[in-house]
Amino acid sequence: MLGQRLFTNQTPPEGLPVDKVYVVEQLSIGHEYYLAIITDRANACPILVMSQGGGSGIEDLAAKDPRAVVKVPLDYTEGVTAEAVSMICERLALQADRETLTALLQRLFTSFKERDATLVEINPLIREPKTGRFICACSKVSIDTAASKRQSEIFGLRDRNQGMAVELEAEKHGLVYIQLEGNIGCLVNGVGLAMATNDAVAHHGGKCANFLDGGGQATKETMVKAFELKLSDKRVDTILELSVAT
């Protein structure tokens, strides 16, 4: 695996380099669960998600049988309430594990909130057949990049070899650059305007080659760098620039 590239549904098309492999103890699995707290941007709240089917096939399970996946909206202040735990226990037949599950879900939400996470996922969450213990066998965490100063310890662990070179170069100059699949280079000042511009281009049948936010503190130097980054993409044959006066 070392030196190869990893290709999954969650990696870019070109995959990600494998430069580290973690080896852990073998676990005895009685049952697998999927468990996560996800930011629901449409409803502006966290959502607790749990299913009896964990592992690599969770996406297929959710597509085939949506009722197999329990989704419970959470209040950001109240967190995991007794009502939320009751819904999970009833839907997944976990009434006998209510006390253990309550502690687990509350700790998960505490981590989600204190770490400014947009996603905290345990997949699979396994139950040992002999002891009945719940064990986190694998996890994934996404932290809001806007919280990088508050979460400096976490962001200090970032492996830059896993990032795209153009995005890392943009970051050095205070720019937010995300590569997309189109041919229209997009440069705006503000994340909201950038998202609206990408949506508007798509609505009229176009595709942006990037999401590039110059930010509210843009200077002549950062704008020159922004154009250099866009023009370095050979797919770009048109540049669309929008700004809002402040």
Side-chain angles (χ1 to χ4, degrees):
M1 294 180 68
L2 287 170
Q4 304 299 314
R5 299 190 75 84
L6 178 67
F7 297 90
T8 73
N9 292 333
Q10 298 175 335
T11 63
E14 67 275 13
L16 291 173
V18 179
D19 51 21
K20 295 179 183 178
V21 175
Y22 290 96
V23 180
V24 299
E25 64 178 306
Q26 184 177 10
L27 298 174
S28 179
I29 302 175
H31 193 89
E32 292 185 358
Y33 298 88
Y34 174 89
L35 174 61
I37 297 179
I38 302 171
T39 299
D40 182 350
R41 299 189 185 280
N43 295 297
C45 71
I47 287 188
L48 175 62
V49 181
M50 191 167 181
S51 169
Q52 286 190 348
S56 59
I58 183 63
E59 292 88 355
D60 295 335
L61 174 65
K64 291 179 181 178
D65 184 10
R67 284 192 54 79
V69 180
V70 185
K71 298 181 179 181
V72 184
L74 301 176
D75 181 275
Y76 200 76
T77 301
E78 295 182 357
V80 178
T81 62
E83 291 76 12
V85 176
S86 294
M87 186 178 298
I88 294 290
C89 289
E90 291 172 7
R91 289 281 299 277
L92 301 181
L94 291 170
Q95 289 89 341
D97 300 287
R98 182 185 180 93
E99 183 176 349
T100 301
L101 195 60
T102 298
L104 172 62
L105 296 179
Q106 289 180 342
R107 288 198 300 269
L108 191 69
F109 183 81
T110 297
S111 296
F112 177 87
K113 184 175 181 178
E114 291 183 351
R115 293 299 187 178
D116 293 295
T118 57
L119 165 70
V120 176
E121 176 184 87
I122 301 176
N123 184 29
L125 172 69
I126 68 170
R127 182 201 289 273
E128 284 188 325
K130 293 184 179 180
T131 66
R133 290 191 308 158
F134 287 107
I135 298 176
C136 171
C138 188
S139 64
K140 177 181 178 181
V141 178
S142 296
I143 307 297
D144 188 348
T145 54
S148 59
K149 292 184 178 180
R150 287 195 302 271
Q151 305 296 341
S152 57
E153 180 181 356
I154 294 178
F155 279 85
L157 300 173
R158 182 180 179 187
D159 183 355
R160 294 185 175 274
N161 291 329
Q162 300 293 322
M164 296 183 64
V166 64
E167 295 179 2
L168 295 174
E169 180 65 18
E171 187 178 310
K172 293 179 183 178
H173 298 273
L175 302 167
V176 177
Y177 183 103
I178 300 174
Q179 187 162 304
L180 303 175
E181 299 177 352
N183 66 312
I184 302 174
C186 179
L187 171 60
V188 300
N189 66 331
V191 174
L193 183 58
M195 292 189 290
T197 301
N198 275 268
D199 289 344
V201 170
H203 178 72
H204 289 282
K207 288 186 178 181
C208 289
N210 61 61
F211 174 109
L212 203 162
D213 171 22
Q217 305 298 319
T219 64
K220 180 177 69 175
E221 290 73 22
T222 57
M223 289 300 95
V224 169
K225 174 55 68 172
F227 275 97
E228 289 178 353
L229 292 171
K230 285 188 298 181
L231 293 173
S232 68
D233 187 344
K234 302 303 182 183
R235 302 168 306 156
V236 173
D237 52 31
T238 301
I239 292 178
L240 175 62
E241 180 181 4
L242 292 176
S243 63
V244 175
T246 57

PDB file of all heavy atoms in Angstrom, residues 66-90:
ATOM      1  N   PRO A  66     -33.835   3.803   3.014  1.00  0.00           N
ATOM      2  CA  PRO A  66     -33.630   5.005   3.840  1.00  0.00           C
ATOM      3  C   PRO A  66     -34.082   4.832   5.285  1.00  0.00           C
ATOM      4  O   PRO A  66     -33.526   5.460   6.190  1.00  0.00           O
ATOM      5  CB  PRO A  66     -34.478   6.065   3.116  1.00  0.00           C
ATOM      6  CG  PRO A  66     -34.562   5.578   1.703  1.00  0.00           C
ATOM      7  CD  PRO A  66     -34.607   4.082   1.802  1.00  0.00           C
ATOM      8  N   ARG A  67     -35.079   3.967   5.533  1.00  0.00           N
ATOM      9  CA  ARG A  67     -35.572   3.776   6.899  1.00  0.00           C
ATOM     10  C   ARG A  67     -34.573   3.026   7.771  1.00  0.00           C
ATOM     11  O   ARG A  67     -34.695   3.029   8.998  1.00  0.00           O
ATOM     12  CB  ARG A  67     -36.904   3.021   6.879  1.00  0.00           C
ATOM     13  CG  ARG A  67     -38.086   3.886   6.469  1.00  0.00           C
ATOM     14  CD  ARG A  67     -39.399   3.167   6.761  1.00  0.00           C
ATOM     15  NE  ARG A  67     -39.503   2.720   8.142  1.00  0.00           N
ATOM     16  CZ  ARG A  67     -39.820   3.508   9.158  1.00  0.00           C
ATOM     17  NH1 ARG A  67     -40.048   4.806   8.954  1.00  0.00           N
ATOM     18  NH2 ARG A  67     -39.898   3.016  10.381  1.00  0.00           N
ATOM     19  N   ALA A  68     -33.588   2.385   7.148  1.00  0.00           N
ATOM     20  CA  ALA A  68     -32.576   1.666   7.928  1.00  0.00           C
ATOM     21  C   ALA A  68     -31.617   2.628   8.606  1.00  0.00           C
ATOM     22  O   ALA A  68     -30.877   2.241   9.505  1.00  0.00           O
ATOM     23  CB  ALA A  68     -31.808   0.699   7.028  1.00  0.00           C
ATOM     24  N   VAL A  69     -31.645   3.876   8.173  1.00  0.00           N
ATOM     25  CA  VAL A  69     -30.770   4.900   8.751  1.00  0.00           C
ATOM     26  C   VAL A  69     -31.612   5.865   9.571  1.00  0.00           C
ATOM     27  O   VAL A  69     -32.520   6.509   9.051  1.00  0.00           O
ATOM     28  CB  VAL A  69     -30.012   5.663   7.646  1.00  0.00           C
ATOM     29  CG1 VAL A  69     -29.106   6.713   8.252  1.00  0.00           C
ATOM     30  CG2 VAL A  69     -29.207   4.695   6.779  1.00  0.00           C
ATOM     31  N   VAL A  70     -31.334   5.951  10.871  1.00  0.00           N
ATOM     32  CA  VAL A  70     -32.081   6.834  11.768  1.00  0.00           C
ATOM     33  C   VAL A  70     -31.401   8.195  11.804  1.00  0.00           C
ATOM     34  O   VAL A  70     -30.201   8.287  12.045  1.00  0.00           O
ATOM     35  CB  VAL A  70     -32.148   6.247  13.194  1.00  0.00           C
ATOM     36  CG1 VAL A  70     -33.042   7.126  14.071  1.00  0.00           C
ATOM     37  CG2 VAL A  70     -32.665   4.816  13.158  1.00  0.00           C
ATOM     38  N   LYS A  71     -32.174   9.259  11.576  1.00  0.00           N
ATOM     39  CA  LYS A  71     -31.644  10.619  11.595  1.00  0.00           C
ATOM     40  C   LYS A  71     -32.426  11.442  12.611  1.00  0.00           C
ATOM     41  O   LYS A  71     -33.647  11.544  12.511  1.00  0.00           O
ATOM     42  CB  LYS A  71     -31.738  11.255  10.203  1.00  0.00           C
ATOM     43  CG  LYS A  71     -30.922  10.528   9.140  1.00  0.00           C
ATOM     44  CD  LYS A  71     -31.032  11.228   7.792  1.00  0.00           C
ATOM     45  CE  LYS A  71     -30.206  10.515   6.732  1.00  0.00           C
ATOM     46  NZ  LYS A  71     -30.296  11.199   5.415  1.00  0.00           N
ATOM     47  N   VAL A  72     -31.713  12.016  13.570  1.00  0.00           N
ATOM     48  CA  VAL A  72     -32.355  12.789  14.633  1.00  0.00           C
ATOM     49  C   VAL A  72     -31.742  14.195  14.678  1.00  0.00           C
ATOM     50  O   VAL A  72     -30.563  14.345  15.008  1.00  0.00           O
ATOM     51  CB  VAL A  72     -32.165  12.112  16.006  1.00  0.00           C
ATOM     52  CG1 VAL A  72     -32.928  12.894  17.078  1.00  0.00           C
ATOM     53  CG2 VAL A  72     -32.608  10.666  15.964  1.00  0.00           C
ATOM     54  N   PRO A  73     -32.510  15.240  14.347  1.00  0.00           N
ATOM     55  CA  PRO A  73     -31.993  16.610  14.458  1.00  0.00           C
ATOM     56  C   PRO A  73     -31.681  16.958  15.909  1.00  0.00           C
ATOM     57  O   PRO A  73     -32.405  16.563  16.828  1.00  0.00           O
ATOM     58  CB  PRO A  73     -33.151  17.469  13.917  1.00  0.00           C
ATOM     59  CG  PRO A  73     -33.995  16.530  13.123  1.00  0.00           C
ATOM     60  CD  PRO A  73     -33.881  15.202  13.802  1.00  0.00           C
ATOM     61  N   LEU A  74     -30.599  17.686  16.138  1.00  0.00           N
ATOM     62  CA  LEU A  74     -30.186  18.063  17.483  1.00  0.00           C
ATOM     63  C   LEU A  74     -30.148  19.578  17.613  1.00  0.00           C
ATOM     64  O   LEU A  74     -29.829  20.287  16.657  1.00  0.00           O
ATOM     65  CB  LEU A  74     -28.791  17.512  17.798  1.00  0.00           C
ATOM     66  CG  LEU A  74     -28.602  15.989  17.719  1.00  0.00           C
ATOM     67  CD1 LEU A  74     -27.142  15.646  17.957  1.00  0.00           C
ATOM     68  CD2 LEU A  74     -29.484  15.270  18.710  1.00  0.00           C
ATOM     69  N   ASP A  75     -30.467  20.051  18.799  1.00  0.00           N
ATOM     70  CA  ASP A  75     -30.307  21.461  19.115  1.00  0.00           C
ATOM     71  C   ASP A  75     -28.861  21.676  19.543  1.00  0.00           C
ATOM     72  O   ASP A  75     -28.336  20.934  20.383  1.00  0.00           O
ATOM     73  CB  ASP A  75     -31.268  21.866  20.240  1.00  0.00           C
ATOM     74  CG  ASP A  75     -31.142  23.339  20.591  1.00  0.00           C
ATOM     75  OD1 ASP A  75     -30.259  23.663  21.405  1.00  0.00           O
ATOM     76  OD2 ASP A  75     -31.913  24.143  20.048  1.00  0.00           O
ATOM     77  N   TYR A  76     -28.211  22.683  18.971  1.00  0.00           N
ATOM     78  CA  TYR A  76     -26.787  22.876  19.227  1.00  0.00           C
ATOM     79  C   TYR A  76     -26.507  23.181  20.699  1.00  0.00           C
ATOM     80  O   TYR A  76     -25.435  22.868  21.208  1.00  0.00           O
ATOM     81  CB  TYR A  76     -26.250  24.012  18.355  1.00  0.00           C
ATOM     82  CG  TYR A  76     -24.748  23.972  18.190  1.00  0.00           C
ATOM     83  CD1 TYR A  76     -24.152  23.058  17.332  1.00  0.00           C
ATOM     84  CD2 TYR A  76     -23.934  24.852  18.898  1.00  0.00           C
ATOM     85  CE1 TYR A  76     -22.769  23.018  17.183  1.00  0.00           C
ATOM     86  CE2 TYR A  76     -22.554  24.820  18.751  1.00  0.00           C
ATOM     87  CZ  TYR A  76     -21.977  23.902  17.894  1.00  0.00           C
ATOM     88  OH  TYR A  76     -20.606  23.854  17.750  1.00  0.00           O
ATOM     89  N   THR A  77     -27.470  23.782  21.383  1.00  0.00           N
ATOM     90  CA  THR A  77     -27.277  24.110  22.799  1.00  0.00           C
ATOM     91  C   THR A  77     -27.595  22.921  23.695  1.00  0.00           C
ATOM     92  O   THR A  77     -26.846  22.598  24.613  1.00  0.00           O
ATOM     93  CB  THR A  77     -28.162  25.305  23.197  1.00  0.00           C
ATOM     94  OG1 THR A  77     -27.828  26.434  22.385  1.00  0.00           O
ATOM     95  CG2 THR A  77     -27.965  25.651  24.666  1.00  0.00           C
ATOM     96  N   GLU A  78     -28.694  22.229  23.414  1.00  0.00           N
ATOM     97  CA  GLU A  78     -29.130  21.116  24.264  1.00  0.00           C
ATOM     98  C   GLU A  78     -28.332  19.845  24.019  1.00  0.00           C
ATOM     99  O   GLU A  78     -28.159  19.015  24.915  1.00  0.00           O
ATOM    100  CB  GLU A  78     -30.612  20.853  24.047  1.00  0.00           C
ATOM    101  CG  GLU A  78     -31.511  22.001  24.496  1.00  0.00           C
ATOM    102  CD  GLU A  78     -32.982  21.667  24.302  1.00  0.00           C
ATOM    103  OE1 GLU A  78     -33.275  20.573  23.771  1.00  0.00           O
ATOM    104  OE2 GLU A  78     -33.821  22.488  24.692  1.00  0.00           O
ATOM    105  N   GLY A  79     -27.877  19.649  22.806  1.00  0.00           N
ATOM    106  CA  GLY A  79     -27.113  18.441  22.498  1.00  0.00           C
ATOM    107  C   GLY A  79     -27.983  17.203  22.409  1.00  0.00           C
ATOM    108  O   GLY A  79     -29.133  17.256  21.946  1.00  0.00           O
ATOM    109  N   VAL A  80     -27.442  16.078  22.865  1.00  0.00           N
ATOM    110  CA  VAL A  80     -28.152  14.790  22.795  1.00  0.00           C
ATOM    111  C   VAL A  80     -29.091  14.679  23.988  1.00  0.00           C
ATOM    112  O   VAL A  80     -28.653  14.519  25.124  1.00  0.00           O
ATOM    113  CB  VAL A  80     -27.163  13.608  22.778  1.00  0.00           C
ATOM    114  CG1 VAL A  80     -27.921  12.285  22.751  1.00  0.00           C
ATOM    115  CG2 VAL A  80     -26.236  13.709  21.564  1.00  0.00           C
ATOM    116  N   THR A  81     -30.368  14.760  23.727  1.00  0.00           N
ATOM    117  CA  THR A  81     -31.371  14.707  24.788  1.00  0.00           C
ATOM    118  C   THR A  81     -31.853  13.282  25.017  1.00  0.00           C
ATOM    119  O   THR A  81     -31.560  12.370  24.234  1.00  0.00           O
ATOM    120  CB  THR A  81     -32.579  15.576  24.424  1.00  0.00           C
ATOM    121  OG1 THR A  81     -33.180  15.039  23.222  1.00  0.00           O
ATOM    122  CG2 THR A  81     -32.158  17.023  24.172  1.00  0.00           C
ATOM    123  N   ALA A  82     -32.616  13.095  26.092  1.00  0.00           N
ATOM    124  CA  ALA A  82     -33.189  11.780  26.386  1.00  0.00           C
ATOM    125  C   ALA A  82     -34.120  11.343  25.266  1.00  0.00           C
ATOM    126  O   ALA A  82     -34.202  10.154  24.925  1.00  0.00           O
ATOM    127  CB  ALA A  82     -33.950  11.835  27.716  1.00  0.00           C
ATOM    128  N   GLU A  83     -34.825  12.308  24.650  1.00  0.00           N
ATOM    129  CA  GLU A  83     -35.741  11.981  23.555  1.00  0.00           C
ATOM    130  C   GLU A  83     -34.975  11.479  22.338  1.00  0.00           C
ATOM    131  O   GLU A  83     -35.398  10.532  21.667  1.00  0.00           O
ATOM    132  CB  GLU A  83     -36.567  13.210  23.172  1.00  0.00           C
ATOM    133  CG  GLU A  83     -37.589  13.654  24.208  1.00  0.00           C
ATOM    134  CD  GLU A  83     -36.964  14.371  25.400  1.00  0.00           C
ATOM    135  OE1 GLU A  83     -35.759  14.740  25.324  1.00  0.00           O
ATOM    136  OE2 GLU A  83     -37.667  14.543  26.412  1.00  0.00           O
ATOM    137  N   ALA A  84     -33.832  12.082  22.070  1.00  0.00           N
ATOM    138  CA  ALA A  84     -33.018  11.640  20.937  1.00  0.00           C
ATOM    139  C   ALA A  84     -32.512  10.222  21.159  1.00  0.00           C
ATOM    140  O   ALA A  84     -32.532   9.381  20.246  1.00  0.00           O
ATOM    141  CB  ALA A  84     -31.842  12.597  20.733  1.00  0.00           C
ATOM    142  N   VAL A  85     -32.057   9.929  22.367  1.00  0.00           N
ATOM    143  CA  VAL A  85     -31.577   8.577  22.679  1.00  0.00           C
ATOM    144  C   VAL A  85     -32.720   7.565  22.568  1.00  0.00           C
ATOM    145  O   VAL A  85     -32.538   6.459  22.039  1.00  0.00           O
ATOM    146  CB  VAL A  85     -30.959   8.535  24.088  1.00  0.00           C
ATOM    147  CG1 VAL A  85     -30.543   7.102  24.434  1.00  0.00           C
ATOM    148  CG2 VAL A  85     -29.761   9.462  24.176  1.00  0.00           C
ATOM    149  N   SER A  86     -33.900   7.944  23.051  1.00  0.00           N
ATOM    150  CA  SER A  86     -35.053   7.045  22.968  1.00  0.00           C
ATOM    151  C   SER A  86     -35.379   6.693  21.526  1.00  0.00           C
ATOM    152  O   SER A  86     -35.679   5.529  21.211  1.00  0.00           O
ATOM    153  CB  SER A  86     -36.275   7.698  23.627  1.00  0.00           C
ATOM    154  OG  SER A  86     -36.082   7.853  25.016  1.00  0.00           O
ATOM    155  N   MET A  87     -35.332   7.668  20.636  1.00  0.00           N
ATOM    156  CA  MET A  87     -35.622   7.407  19.236  1.00  0.00           C
ATOM    157  C   MET A  87     -34.624   6.429  18.636  1.00  0.00           C
ATOM    158  O   MET A  87     -34.993   5.497  17.913  1.00  0.00           O
ATOM    159  CB  MET A  87     -35.617   8.717  18.442  1.00  0.00           C
ATOM    160  CG  MET A  87     -36.042   8.566  16.996  1.00  0.00           C
ATOM    161  SD  MET A  87     -36.085  10.150  16.111  1.00  0.00           S
ATOM    162  CE  MET A  87     -37.339  11.019  17.061  1.00  0.00           C
ATOM    163  N   ILE A  88     -33.324   6.615  18.955  1.00  0.00           N
ATOM    164  CA  ILE A  88     -32.291   5.709  18.455  1.00  0.00           C
ATOM    165  C   ILE A  88     -32.513   4.299  19.003  1.00  0.00           C
ATOM    166  O   ILE A  88     -32.467   3.306  18.256  1.00  0.00           O
ATOM    167  CB  ILE A  88     -30.890   6.216  18.854  1.00  0.00           C
ATOM    168  CG1 ILE A  88     -30.566   7.531  18.147  1.00  0.00           C
ATOM    169  CG2 ILE A  88     -29.835   5.158  18.556  1.00  0.00           C
ATOM    170  CD1 ILE A  88     -30.339   7.413  16.668  1.00  0.00           C
ATOM    171  N   CYS A  89     -32.745   4.196  20.294  1.00  0.00           N
ATOM    172  CA  CYS A  89     -32.912   2.890  20.928  1.00  0.00           C
ATOM    173  C   CYS A  89     -34.120   2.136  20.379  1.00  0.00           C
ATOM    174  O   CYS A  89     -34.056   0.925  20.133  1.00  0.00           O
ATOM    175  CB  CYS A  89     -33.059   3.057  22.442  1.00  0.00           C
ATOM    176  SG  CYS A  89     -31.532   3.563  23.272  1.00  0.00           S
ATOM    177  N   GLU A  90     -35.221   2.837  20.192  1.00  0.00           N
ATOM    178  CA  GLU A  90     -36.434   2.183  19.698  1.00  0.00           C
ATOM    179  C   GLU A  90     -36.283   1.721  18.258  1.00  0.00           C
ATOM    180  O   GLU A  90     -36.675   0.605  17.905  1.00  0.00           O
ATOM    181  CB  GLU A  90     -37.615   3.140  19.829  1.00  0.00           C
ATOM    182  CG  GLU A  90     -38.028   3.405  21.268  1.00  0.00           C
ATOM    183  CD  GLU A  90     -39.064   4.500  21.382  1.00  0.00           C
ATOM    184  OE1 GLU A  90     -39.561   4.953  20.312  1.00  0.00           O
ATOM    185  OE2 GLU A  90     -39.363   4.918  22.509  1.00  0.00           O
TER     186      GLU A  90
END
